[in-house]
Amino acid sequence: MKGLAAPALILAAGAAFATPAASGPTSSHPEKAMPGVADPVRARQHWILQCQGCHRADATGTPQTAPTMAGFVARFLQVPGGRDYLARVPGVATAALSDADLAEVVNWSLMRFDPAHVPADFKPYTAAEIGRLRHKPLRAEASAVRARLVADFDETKIP
């Protein structure tokens, strides 16, 4: 009987650690349902591993690394060419993720960092759309395209 106690304890401890990840978000990082995001925990992990290094954990970015996304990024969805831009910026287009995972993290980041500017009729990015757009990544022209789109924010009076 004593010989069975250690394996049982190990299994119980393993189940305790596995349960939050298997059943969904943990209480320390709750995520609500988001369009186009099948697994918010996975999307957040991809954000941490692929995006956070430049955009920072809170998506505020820095002038030396990457522009802010917090309270700003979903505005691109409201101007012509902005949706394509978000999938073609170098960090997105060249991310080491599948098209499906990349669509999920882009959808997650829009809803997580700028929900106030996500249009009411927002259609989540799909793997097929991301796959098509990321094959034409922006390179040196990314800053100029961004500046033009941001100027369009003012012209369309996006709050």
Side-chain angles (χ1 to χ4, degrees):
M1 189 73 152
K2 220 178 193 185
L4 296 177
L9 182 59
I10 291 168
L11 286 174
F17 285 111
T19 301
S23 65
T26 64
S27 60
S28 63
H29 297 289
E31 299 286 354
K32 59 185 177 188
M34 298 177 174
V37 181
D39 186 340
V41 173
R42 178 181 57 221
R44 181 176 177 273
Q45 289 170 339
H46 286 311
W47 165 266
I48 291 168
L49 295 173
Q50 299 290 323
C51 312
Q52 180 174 304
C54 293
H55 287 285
R56 302 174 65 167
D58 61 358
T60 56
T62 67
Q64 299 79 22
T65 59
T68 187
M69 292 174 61
F72 191 80
V73 69
R75 292 177 184 197
F76 287 101
L77 298 172
Q78 300 176 30
V79 295
R83 183 178 177 95
D84 287 5
Y85 166 81
L86 291 178
R88 294 181 59 211
V89 295
V92 173
T94 63
L97 293 172
S98 69
D99 294 342
D101 285 343
L102 189 55
E104 183 175 64
V105 77
V106 170
N107 292 327
W108 179 88
S109 65
L110 288 163
M111 301 306 290
R112 171 68 177 87
F113 297 117
D114 194 16
H117 292 113
V118 174
D121 62 348
F122 172 65
K123 290 180 180 45
Y125 284 91
T126 64
E129 180 181 18
I130 289 290
R132 177 179 52 81
L133 293 169
R134 75 189 303 195
H135 286 296
K136 297 180 276 185
L138 296 170
R139 302 279 185 206
E141 72 277 16
S143 294
V145 171
R146 184 181 195 285
R148 181 181 48 78
L149 292 169
V150 170
D152 287 349
F153 293 177
D154 293 336
E155 291 178 19
T156 58
K157 304 292 187 245
I158 297 171

